[in-house]
Amino acid sequence: MLLLLLLLPRSCCGPCCEQTQTSSHRTTREPTWPDEQRHFASMTAPVPLAHVPVLAREIVELLVKQRPLIAARSSPLAGPASKLVFLDATFGAGGHTRLILHGLPDAVVVAADRDVTALERIRTIEPVGVRERIVPVHMRFSEIGRRMRAVQVGDAATPTRLWGALMDLGVSSMQIDTDGRGFSFQSEGPLDMRMDQNDASTPTAADLVNSMREKDLEDTIRKYGEERYAGRIASAIVSKKPFATTKQLADVVRAVMPFGQYKDTDKHPATRTFQALRIAVNDEMNELKQGLHDIEALMEPGGVLCGTKHDRKIKSNIKKKTFFFSR
């Protein structure tokens, strides 16, 4: 049985949810685990992080609960040379990867990310006994099945299989805080929004808003942003195009939104529009669906897949679709 757990942050780790786009971070609390599990808590001591994963404690607890199964190596597919392999499908700042490596000294982590700049942070991880257990892979969710077939851990005759996987869904605070990425409506930057800026085959957000028909743009904003004023926003965008920067687009969206909708909230009027364009640019719904199925095929029976989400649309899509698997 493969268990998929969708973990919902109690408070957002920085601006990932794109509702306020501020940069506060939750501090890690002292875990209250039984004594036999307390050694897992020590993993945070030697791991100074500039970006603290908001669900680090919860994810580590899931790994603790899984340890008896891992120790038993109960899978008929796991031979004597098999390794304890985890997939961090969204490496980001490396916080979750570090916690796994420090908490499970025999684990190997395949650190993957669609954003190549994220993988460059691997060199900041302390080298002795830790960095050597990281296998970096530049890939998107939909490439997990194909790219993982080329990853070899341990015995060359034993296919690499997973005991656990993590998927952090949505956009990261590091991406929002970088003006040149075009994710934020609070600063001036190119209207890009691509997770992988090296991928010339992916259209930018500017490409979409400058080329889409009004009806298609309205449908996109309504579908992925759940924006009730998608019609008037799409009409304004089409009448004011072309757009080149985030501020240009944000100002046009703000100008057509009813003042009463946002006067008493911290949410920017362009929040849902920017979310919709980001999801469309990166084809996030299809990427997620394919990635989940690829991970299921790679997972050992009893393995755990943890997913964290920051966007309402991603949460609602997971609820509407059947992404639970069994063996």
Side-chain angles (χ1 to χ4, degrees):
M1 189 75 178
L2 167 60
L3 176 61
L4 169 60
L5 299 170
L6 180 64
L7 305 181
L8 309 181
R10 288 186 294 270
S11 60
C12 182
C13 181
C16 302
C17 64
E18 275 202 331
Q19 292 186 358
T20 58
Q21 290 199 4
T22 59
S23 57
S24 62
H25 297 277
R26 195 189 80 175
T27 56
T28 303
R29 294 177 294 149
E30 176 65 24
T32 55
W33 298 332
D35 290 340
E36 63 270 20
Q37 298 173 351
R38 193 164 296 281
H39 67 284
F40 275 82
S42 66
M43 73 177 66
T44 58
V47 193
L49 298 175
H51 178 90
V52 180
V54 72
L55 287 166
R57 178 175 178 270
E58 290 82 353
I59 287 175
V60 172
E61 285 178 339
L62 290 173
L63 296 179
V64 170
K65 292 175 182 177
Q66 192 191 16
R67 193 171 179 83
L69 175 63
I70 292 172
R73 293 294 200 275
S74 62
S75 169
L77 300 175
S82 65
K83 296 288 185 178
L84 185 58
V85 182
F86 292 85
L87 170 65
D88 186 347
T90 323
F91 180 76
H96 291 119
T97 287
R98 295 186 188 202
L99 293 175
I100 294 171
L101 293 173
H102 281 282
L104 297 170
D106 53 342
V108 174
V109 174
V110 177
D113 207 295
R114 184 174 184 173
D115 186 349
V116 70
T117 61
L119 296 179
E120 295 172 358
R121 301 186 185 100
I122 289 178
R123 66 175 180 268
T124 68
I125 294 181
E126 53 272 53
V128 179
V130 178
R131 192 190 303 170
E132 294 82 356
R133 293 187 283 128
I134 298 177
V135 180
V137 182
H138 179 218
M139 64 180 173
R140 60 179 67 189
F141 288 166
S142 63
E143 298 174 322
I144 289 174
R146 177 174 62 85
R147 298 299 302 276
M148 283 296 297
R149 285 195 291 271
V151 173
Q152 192 59 58
V153 179
D155 185 358
T158 305
T160 299
R161 299 188 60 79
L162 302 173
W163 285 95
L166 312 172
M167 301 177 82
D168 195 0
L169 313 177
V171 67
S172 74
S173 57
M174 290 83 70
Q175 291 167 329
I176 289 178
D177 291 342
T178 304
D179 294 345
R181 302 303 300 271
F183 290 106
S184 177
F185 39 70
Q186 291 189 334
S187 58
E188 184 77 23
L191 194 55
D192 193 323
M193 299 194 192
R194 290 174 297 169
M195 296 293 186
D196 183 0
Q197 288 187 307
N198 294 327
D199 184 2
S201 66
T202 300
T204 65
D207 293 331
L208 291 187
V209 298
N210 292 332
S211 64
M212 293 179 74
R213 297 180 304 172
E214 181 176 328
K215 183 61 170 65
D216 294 336
L217 186 57
E218 176 185 350
D219 290 344
T220 296
I221 296 172
R222 193 180 307 279
K223 178 180 179 181
Y224 294 137
E226 298 181 331
E227 174 59 74
R228 63 184 297 187
Y229 299 104
R232 67 169 66 183
I233 292 171
S235 178
I237 289 174
V238 170
S239 67
K240 299 291 185 180
K241 67 181 184 182
F243 293 88
T245 71
T246 53
K247 190 174 186 302
Q248 288 175 336
L249 180 62
D251 287 347
V252 167
V253 175
R254 180 194 289 273
V256 300
M257 295 294 281
F259 176 72
Q261 287 294 113
Y262 292 94
K263 67 176 182 178
D264 296 324
T265 72
D266 293 329
K267 184 183 292 187
H268 191 285
T271 297
R272 294 177 182 271
T273 299
F274 270 60
Q275 173 184 298
L277 291 174
R278 190 207 78 225
I279 291 175
V281 164
N282 297 287
D283 195 21
E284 293 182 31
M285 294 297 106
N286 288 323
E287 287 288 323
L288 175 60
K289 182 177 181 179
Q290 184 61 51
L292 287 169
H293 283 281
D294 285 353
I295 288 175
E296 190 270 339
L298 293 165
M299 196 76 76
E300 294 284 5
V304 175
L305 167 59
C306 302
T308 64
K309 76 93 209 170
H310 301 285
D311 292 333
R312 279 185 54 192
K313 186 58 183 175
I314 292 176
K315 175 185 175 182
S316 63
N317 266 263
I318 291 179
K319 282 186 174 180
K320 291 175 184 177
K321 300 180 186 297
T322 302
F323 284 147
F324 294 86
F325 312 100
S326 62
R327 288 187 180 277

